Each structure stands twice: as structure tokens, then as C-alpha cells.
Amino acid sequence: MEKQNSSYRWIVFGSVLFSYFLIVSQRTAPGLITNQLMKDFNITAAVVGLLTSIQFFAYSGLQIPIGLLSDRLGPNGFLIVGTLLNGLGTVVYSTASNEYVLFLSRLMVGTGDAAIWVNLVLILSQWFKVGEFIKLLGFAGMAGSLGSLLATVPFSAWISASGWRIPFLSSGIMLCLSGILLYFVLVIRPRQLFKNISETKKPQHKKREKTSVILKRMITTRQAWATFLCHFGVMGTYVGFIGSWGVPFGMDIYHMSRSAASQLLMYGLLGAIFGAPIISWFTSRRETIKGTYLSIQFIIFLSWLTFFLYAGKPPFFMSVILFIATGFGSAAGSLTFAIVRKSFPMTEVGAISGFANTGGFISAVLLPFLFGNVLDHFHHAPVNVGYQYGFLIPVLFSFIAVIGGIMVKEKQKNKQSQLSA
């Protein structure tokens, strides 16, 4: 029995997506307590932005090394260790007594998180055929959006009822248990079901290329840079904003409570939840990914530009529409990895996926910190002024994604060749 034809692959799919669901919730949940952290630890907006950025800095800095190592050593161990480290970091975060422990905990979370998406992509590549892969990437994105949705109204209500420490402690414990589950699902059980797969699938005589050769080819390939720039603008702007300044935006601009402000994020996440399967389904029925992706990139760019043109304070109903639009657009981030899968050999998918993913999270590193500095700079001005000029950052970043979309080169394949790939 082969992996790609076995019913067990759906257990793998469900277990991996459940872990990703929990992990993404902790990627954005700290944004719910931005103001609370500033009060409890007596820190500025810029420090909070740096706190968010350090998590994404660790994530982005490790993407390429983990991609290369995963191509060589396999993705299972990295996914398991990443999940456990994410859980332990969240537990430490919940018990922090000062800002230095906060920084350490977010560094742990970012390091663990760095091992998740690239290895999720590789695991799906191993267990599913290409025809299934593009569709399932959309559902993986949907699982991530549901995790972010958990970190809006439900998590906010929990925080309001019990304080912020208990919810984060509980989430950390759940992530540790999820890591243990992954060890059983990805390592123990497959050894029993597919005893001879690893031996028969391993290339016995093919010499591996040097890492330096792979890296040189990667950084000199237009297609690799196109995916990097696409992800920089599509994912980084959305993740960076909702993970740090989305809730404060609702509280400062519309004078909403924390729970009510988290509903703004919920609108965006609903857009992402519905966008993921719609975009993947629509794309899987077409010969081209580029046209769909480029159109969505323009929508994202225009949405952020509208925030700026309305001086940082659009009418509330328009903000709802814009959050939905940016959320829907972020769901197209999975197309970055569909392009990688179609453009590069399997032996390089991990490394190129890591490189592309680095783009998204460099953006997510820069945006919270820069946005926080802009808000601090305009501290004495009307509050919307700081947000207005802050929105220039995602405007610029999303325009970079448009450039990346234009750079994408796509080989036209007939359906028969795609199915046989």
C-alpha cells in the first residue's frame, strides 16, 4: 500500500491541520492584549511592536535553513519539535514576570513556528498527489484562518473573563499534547503500516547537491524571487497588522471595547476562511495560477490604500468591507506554494518554500515595529493621524506583491501532464 493511495493519509491531513490551527491561533492572539501588556509591563507601543517582530524575525530567519534540512532529513521530526517548542514558548509567555521573559517566550514560539508551514507543505506533498495538493493547500490555509478566528471573539471573551494568563497557559498545554499526537501519527503508526516505503523510495545512488549550489541557484532564480515578493506583500501585511495593531485600531479609532474590536479581525478572518477553499477550487480548475493571484494582489493593494485615503478612519461599514477584502486576499498566500510546487523539483520544494515564506514573515517582522514607531511619532497628534501614516506601510508592502505577481513565469501544461506529475 502506497502513502498517496492509502486512507491513512486523511488521518495525517487532519492531525497536521489541527496542530496548524492551534499554532496560528497563538500567532495572532497576543494582539488581543497589546494594550494590557503596555499597562502591565509599562512598555511603549514601539516595544510591543518589537515584541511581535522578534517572533516573526525568528520565524523568517529560520525558513531557508529549515527548508534545506527538511529536504534532506524529512519533515516529520521538524514539525513535531516545532509544535512542542511552540507550546513550551506559549506556557512561558503565560507565566512571564517581566518584558525580558516575554521576549524569550516569543522567540521560542517564533523558532517553533518556523518549522511548521514548510514541513506541512512537504508532508502534504508526500502523502497526496499533485491534483489533490493544490486543493488541500486551500484547506490548510482555511485551518490557519480558523485558528486566527479562535484568537478573536472567543479568545477575547476568555481573556475578559479570566485574565490573559490562563488562556495562554491552556493553549500552550494543548500545543504540547498536539506535538505528542503528531509523533504517533507521523512516526509510530506509519512505521507499522508502511514498513518498506522508506527503503524503496530512497534514492540509493544519486549524490546530493551541495547546499551552496542549491542556495546559489535559488537566489539567482527569478521565479524564486517572484514567490518571495508575492508572499512578502500578500501574507506579511495581513499577519503583521492583525497580530499587533488590528485590535488597538478598533479601540482607538472607533472607541470599541477589546471584545468588540476583535470582531473587526473576525470579519477579516471570515474572508480568509471562505477565501481559502474558493481560491484553491477556482485555481485548480484553471490552467494558470498567475492570473488569479495577480488579480487578488491588486485587491489587497487597493484595500490598504483606501485606509490611507480615508485618513486612517474610514466609515465603520467600509472598514468591515476592507477587513473582509484583505482577509480574503491573504487566503491566496497558498498559491505561492502551488507556484513553487509546479516550478521546482521535489528535492528543492522545501528550500524554495522556505525562501518564499521568509518573504511573508520579513514583512510581518517589519510592519508591527514600523507601525508602532509611526504611532509613537504622532503620539501628540489626533489618533487617526498616526494610523493614517501607518497604513502607508502595508500600502507599500502590498504593491511589492503586485510586482512579484508580474514577475511570475508560468509554464502552461495540459491537464494530462499535470495529472501525471
Side-chain angles (χ1 to χ4, degrees), residues 270-328:
L270 287 173
I273 288 168
F274 288 106
I278 291 172
I279 291 170
S280 61
W281 173 82
F282 180 77
T283 306
S284 67
R285 296 177 64 86
R286 305 185 68 204
E287 291 286 328
T288 176
I289 297 173
K290 177 175 180 176
T292 303
Y293 206 1
L294 193 55
S295 299
I296 294 171
Q297 288 163 352
F298 273 113
I299 292 172
I300 296 170
F301 169 71
L302 293 174
S303 297
W304 290 117
L305 182 62
T306 302
F307 276 114
F308 172 75
L309 294 177
Y310 272 88
K313 189 177 181 180
F316 181 75
F317 79 91
M318 183 170 288
S319 282
V320 170
I321 294 172
L322 294 174
F323 270 90
I324 292 173
T326 54
F328 183 90

Side-chain angles (χ1 to χ4, degrees), residues 17 20 31 49 70 74 82 108 123 128 143 153 217 259 352 391:
L17 260 62
Y20 186 56
S70 298
M108 292 174 65
I123 288 170
F128 294 91
V153 176
R217 184 165 61 247
S259 179
I352 304 298
F391 279 122

Side-chain angles (χ1 to χ4, degrees), residues 23 26 81-90 108-109 112-113 116 175:
I23 287 164
Q26 294 311 299
V81 172
T83 303
L84 290 171
L85 189 56
N86 206 295
L88 292 172
T90 304
M108 292 174 65
V109 169
D113 202 358
I116 305 304
L175 278 164

Side-chain angles (χ1 to χ4, degrees), residues 10-21:
W10 295 109
I11 295 176
V12 172
F13 181 67
S15 301
V16 169
L17 260 62
F18 177 69
S19 297
Y20 186 56
F21 163 79

Side-chain angles (χ1 to χ4, degrees), residues 52-69 106-107 109-115 118 215 218 228 351 353-366:
T52 303
S53 295
I54 197 169
Q55 174 183 344
F56 294 131
F57 178 78
Y59 185 111
S60 59
L62 290 170
Q63 285 301 287
I64 295 173
I66 286 178
L68 289 165
L69 289 171
R106 299 325 289 177
L107 183 62
V109 169
T111 302
D113 202 358
V118 170
L215 286 173
M218 179 175 67
F228 177 97
S353 294
F355 182 64
N357 214 24
T358 299
F361 285 89
I362 286 179
S363 176
V365 166
L366 293 174

